[in-house]
Amino acid sequence: MAQATRPTSDVCNSSSDLASSESPVQIKGQTVRILTNEELEKLQRDQILVSHFKQQKLEKEAQKNWDLFYKRNTTKFFKDRHWTTREFEELKACKKFEAQKLVLLEAGCGVGNCIFPLLAEDANIFVYACDFSPRAVEFVKENPLFCSKRCKVFQCDLTSEELQVNIPADSVDVVTLIFVLSAIHPDKMHLSLENIYRVLKPGGIVLFRDYGLYDHAMLRFKSGNKLGENFYVRQDGTRSFFFSRELLVELFTGAGFQSLVNEYVMRETVNKKEGLCVPRVFLQSKFSKPE
Ligand SMILES: C[S@@+](CC[C@H](N)C(=O)[O-])C[C@H]1O[C@@H](n2cnc3c(N)ncnc32)[C@H](O)[C@@H]1O
């Protein structure tokens, strides 16, 4: 059943998104966005994949490309998330009582747009935060709101480095995974989820938000940028996957999680510069580690 609500803020890795404003209504539902004939034809025409050699190079240089992204954009690219956003509402709902202390892991934290508003608002929270990019981790540490008593930040490749080196097993209440899994090669996504699973408490939850299938960003890729099914590379070498509900559930349940919520969020964004109204699709989900 589709449901209309007010939007929360999202990060979008595209400079033109910065000149956009969102319509006040978003539709939540289980069904995939219906494409126009023109859009369908465009996707069907785009069958040529980036060469195997170039794909291997992109995988090898994934960390470098994200680090260069933060070198170019510093802390100015993504917007801060505040208490109006879904993650914060969900966190409040996780508490059995107001003063309960929660341990959170922000996996793929970037420069900390999610964690700093959170640390500022809630005194009863301890945050672990990690990112692939050493530069992003340094930006987090340099933020005036950073406090080593309430936050531990470290560099980590979620696909190959054990989170348990920095976080005790079975100790985290809530993991936020926001526009991160889409940046990871589909063959390695399960490794990140298994890694996260090991540090999550039984009964703990993962709050997931990322690009959904047929989001405008997917349809905007020009021919020559396709890496595989629903997987593309941007000009700067960073990559983006577009998730269907079905694939996401398969990935999470394959790593041992239970699915609690898994829905598309659709909304129209007005691109002021181009005077265009574009359809955005995100996937917003919640998974738990069985008790
Ligand atoms: C689009 S940004 C999102 C940042 C942040 N979650 C936010 O919402 O502002 C994606 C982030 O994922 C990180 N990332 C990509 N691959 C990763 C990996 N294998 N392990 C850890 N982080 C990764 C990138 O460095 C980048 O900071």
Side-chain angles (χ1 to χ4, degrees), residues 11 13 66 70 78 81 106-110 113 131-133 156-159 178-180 183-184:
V11 278
N13 188 3
W66 273 108
Y70 289 112
F78 300 121
R81 293 161 195 289
E106 162 84 333
C109 61
N113 296 87
D131 200 276
F132 207 13
S133 152
C156 170
D157 177 351
L158 288 166
T159 68
I178 303 169
F179 293 94
V180 174
I184 291 174

Side-chain angles (χ1 to χ4, degrees), residues 11 13 66 177-186 189 192 208-212 227 230-234 238-243 248 251:
V11 278
N13 188 3
W66 273 108
L177 192 59
I178 303 169
F179 293 94
V180 174
L181 205 60
S182 57
I184 291 174
H185 192 285
M189 287 175 183
S192 320
F208 174 93
R209 191 202 318 249
D210 217 319
Y211 296 105
L227 299 169
N230 307 328
F231 192 39
Y232 296 84
V233 59
R234 302 185 186 95
T238 62
R239 297 164 298 173
S240 185
F241 189 85
F242 296 84
F243 292 94
L248 194 73
L251 278 167

Side-chain angles (χ1 to χ4, degrees), residues 155-166:
Q155 194 272 328
C156 170
D157 177 351
L158 288 166
T159 68
S160 63
E161 292 169 295
E162 280 289 340
L163 285 165
Q164 281 178 78
V165 171
N166 286 286

Side-chain angles (χ1 to χ4, degrees), residues 116 139-147:
F116 288 116
F139 279 127
V140 173
K141 287 184 182 162
E142 283 165 15
N143 191 307
L145 295 172
F146 179 76
C147 164

Side-chain angles (χ1 to χ4, degrees), residues 65-254:
N65 288 333
W66 273 108
D67 211 47
L68 288 173
F69 171 89
Y70 289 112
K71 184 177 181 192
R72 272 190 312 277
N73 295 296
T74 67
T75 56
K76 298 185 178 70
F77 198 82
F78 300 121
K79 291 184 228 160
D80 268 2
R81 293 161 195 289
H82 289 280
W83 274 101
T84 47
T85 67
R86 167 216 178 222
E87 283 71 28
F88 294 88
E89 290 303 320
E90 289 280 2
L91 281 177
K92 271 197 273 183
C94 286
K95 293 191 179 190
K96 293 191 183 83
F97 51 95
E98 180 94 18
Q100 185 186 349
K101 227 177 163 66
L102 280 187
V103 178
L104 179 106
L105 163 63
E106 162 84 333
C109 61
V111 295
N113 296 87
C114 186
I115 61 173
F116 288 116
L118 187 61
L119 286 165
E121 291 284 345
D122 189 345
N124 288 313
I125 196 151
F126 183 89
V127 177
Y128 290 105
C130 68
D131 200 276
F132 207 13
S133 152
R135 225 176 227 112
V137 169
E138 276 317 301
F139 279 127
V140 173
K141 287 184 182 162
E142 283 165 15
N143 191 307
L145 295 172
F146 179 76
C147 164
S148 60
K149 286 196 186 106
R150 302 186 56 212
C151 181
K152 178 173 178 179
V153 59
F154 56 95
Q155 194 272 328
C156 170
D157 177 351
L158 288 166
T159 68
S160 63
E161 292 169 295
E162 280 289 340
L163 285 165
Q164 281 178 78
V165 171
N166 286 286
I167 308 174
D170 301 329
S171 68
V172 174
D173 295 290
V174 184
V175 176
T176 48
L177 192 59
I178 303 169
F179 293 94
V180 174
L181 205 60
S182 57
I184 291 174
H185 192 285
D187 290 350
K188 293 189 175 176
M189 287 175 183
H190 71 105
L191 298 170
S192 320
L193 299 183
E194 288 157 12
N195 201 359
I196 287 169
Y197 188 90
R198 289 189 283 273
V199 295
L200 197 60
K201 265 184 195 162
I205 61 162
V206 179
L207 299 176
F208 174 93
R209 191 202 318 249
D210 217 319
Y211 296 105
L213 193 60
Y214 306 146
D215 176 43
H216 175 70
M218 174 171 172
L219 292 147
R220 214 173 41 184
F221 278 107
K222 298 208 167 70
S223 151
N225 290 73
K226 188 166 175 171
L227 299 169
E229 202 186 349
N230 307 328
F231 192 39
Y232 296 84
V233 59
R234 302 185 186 95
Q235 286 287 325
D236 63 6
T238 62
R239 297 164 298 173
S240 185
F241 189 85
F242 296 84
F243 292 94
S244 67
R245 288 179 64 240
E246 293 75 12
L247 183 85
L248 194 73
V249 158
E250 211 177 292
L251 278 167
F252 270 89
T253 53

